[in-house]
Amino acid sequence: MAETTERRAAEAPTSKSARTRERILDAAAHVLSRKGYAGTRLADVAAHAQLQAPTIYYHFASRDELIEEVMWVGAARVHAHVVAELEALPAETSPLDRILTAVEAHLRYELLISDYTTASIRNANQVPEGLRAKAAAEEAAYARLWRDLFTAAMDAGQLRSDLDITVTRMLLLGAMNWAAEWWNPRHRTLDDLVRATQDMVRYGMAPATA
Amino acid sequence: MAETTERRAAEAPTSKSARTRERILDAAAHVLSRKGYAGTRLADVAAHAQLQAPTIYYHFASRDELIEEVMWVGAARVHAHVVAELEALPAETSPLDRILTAVEAHLRYELLISDYTTASIRNANQVPEGLRAKAAAEEAAYARLWRDLFTAAMDAGQLRSDLDITVTRMLLLGAMNWAAEWWNPRHRTLDDLVRATQDMVRYGMAPATA
DNA sequence: CATGGAATCTAACTAGAATTCGAAATCATG
DNA sequence: CATGATTTCGAATTCTAGTTAGATTCCATG
């Protein structure tokens, strides 16, 4: 987490214009993640960013361009975060442990840090094709990362040999993405959620003897 | 205006009015599942139902009432389908096998049979509060069904004793719900998806020996 | 075949929201 | 403090889409 703060500090916008632009993007991510593509009103975004709607046009060419950037940034930031966490691991870390680390990184970023991620996740299928190009490319790269993690674990014999790693990978990502719809920090700590997800990966639900 | 208080919606439509009403509902479910709440245009719904937009008002009082019914029907129908499949099981079926049956029933209904289910799933968090009451009540009842399935399996010793059944249940439902976002019958059969999901429940990903 | 209710249509109204434009306010700098 | 550039705003424009009203077509029945 200190790492994230550091990275954010490094990317901290300097000029006033850049800071306002970032505030608008943040507000758009917030609204987009809750109201969906068609339901995102520039007036709402402006209110969250504490300015008037027309001001947005000084920083973005159009509503669609603003949304396109939110979607793209959302996908790019989880990806970068997970990559960073994986690279921080000791070189000898086993493939299965790398998957468990990726699980934790994905959940933490999605649920704690970023409205962008939930915005891009929830609207992946609602946004018009034209706006999806950059985001889709990022998502494809992120999917490759996960595919490689699973392939490595399978090659190392750390996964059931009859496991359908393509389907299972999507099921796992789905379980994590959906957590944004129901997880409530008042009912369960994020630590508990992370642990339950990792246990699910390792052990399933049934006792080992079954 | 046709009687709006009518309850038996899923049965075979008799009158011409009832059939048209059903066609509009089907079209609304289709559009809603793809465009989201705010993106659902009555003109699109009308086009899918092969009629003009104002005709919808002969069968529904407003756009919101139409959408409310789609959301409610969506939740109610999966629930009813899963219940029916469970009741068809022999009385001596083990709690774990009942969970696996529910998994299969949920996936098949969601992915094969019903646009309503995906519509209600995808829009649960986007629809305004006022429209969510009936759907939310249905979803709560459905959640209780799953909770009872898990509790029974835990009591029977068919789940790991340290399993967090609340979180795990939501992870499982999330994995299944998310499948609507990515599952493509051209890449994987539904049978394969069902099997992979059930295996995930039973065995997790790692080999039993690990 | 006539008739009246049921069902659907076309045309018009209206509200909301993206966008544009020119004025006003703010800010950096000499 | 003055001035020009940067940034923000209020007002006006335009387009979209829900809704209403009234006319028209469909259809069962005597």
Side-chain angles (χ1 to χ4, degrees), chain A residues 50-66:
Chain A
Q50 292 176 305
L51 38 79
Q52 299 302 311
T55 304
I56 294 173
Y57 286 85
Y58 182 79
H59 301 272
F60 296 88
S62 69
R63 173 182 181 275
D64 275 359
E65 191 181 89
L66 168 60

Side-chain angles (χ1 to χ4, degrees), chain B residues 75-156:
Chain B
R77 288 188 185 176
V78 216
H79 187 180
H81 178 72
V82 172
V83 164
E85 294 290 320
L86 287 173
E87 285 177 349
L89 289 173
E92 70 271 20
T93 307
S94 80
L96 182 56
D97 283 337
R98 288 169 60 79
I99 291 179
L100 299 178
T101 297
V103 163
E104 173 160 13
H106 182 100
L107 281 174
R108 286 197 189 284
Y109 199 87
E110 170 194 351
L111 298 176
L112 228 46
I113 300 176
S114 175
D115 273 338
Y116 291 83
T117 307
T118 50
S120 91
I121 285 173
R122 285 178 176 161
N123 291 285
N125 64 349
Q126 287 185 10
V127 156
E129 268 310 309
L131 304 191
R132 295 248 330 125
K134 279 176 80 174
E138 260 305 319
E139 282 157 25
Y142 190 48
R144 277 196 297 279
L145 167 67
W146 279 93
R147 193 198 53 197
D148 292 346
L149 287 173
F150 271 77
T151 304
M154 179 62 92
D155 289 348

Side-chain angles (χ1 to χ4, degrees), chain A residues 164-167 169-170, chain B residues 179 181-196:
Chain A
D164 183 333
I165 57 175
T166 304
V167 172
R169 188 186 77 224
M170 297 307 291
Chain B
E181 311 292 327
W182 59 266
W183 179 67
N184 183 337
R186 294 176 183 224
H187 293 49
R188 275 291 185 292
T189 68
L190 185 48
D191 286 342
D192 285 343
L193 172 57
V194 168
R195 193 174 314 113

Side-chain angles (χ1 to χ4, degrees), chain A residues 16 40-43 53-54 57 62-63:
Chain A
K16 172 186 168 101
T40 295
R41 314 266 174 248
L42 289 187
Y57 286 85
S62 69
R63 173 182 181 275

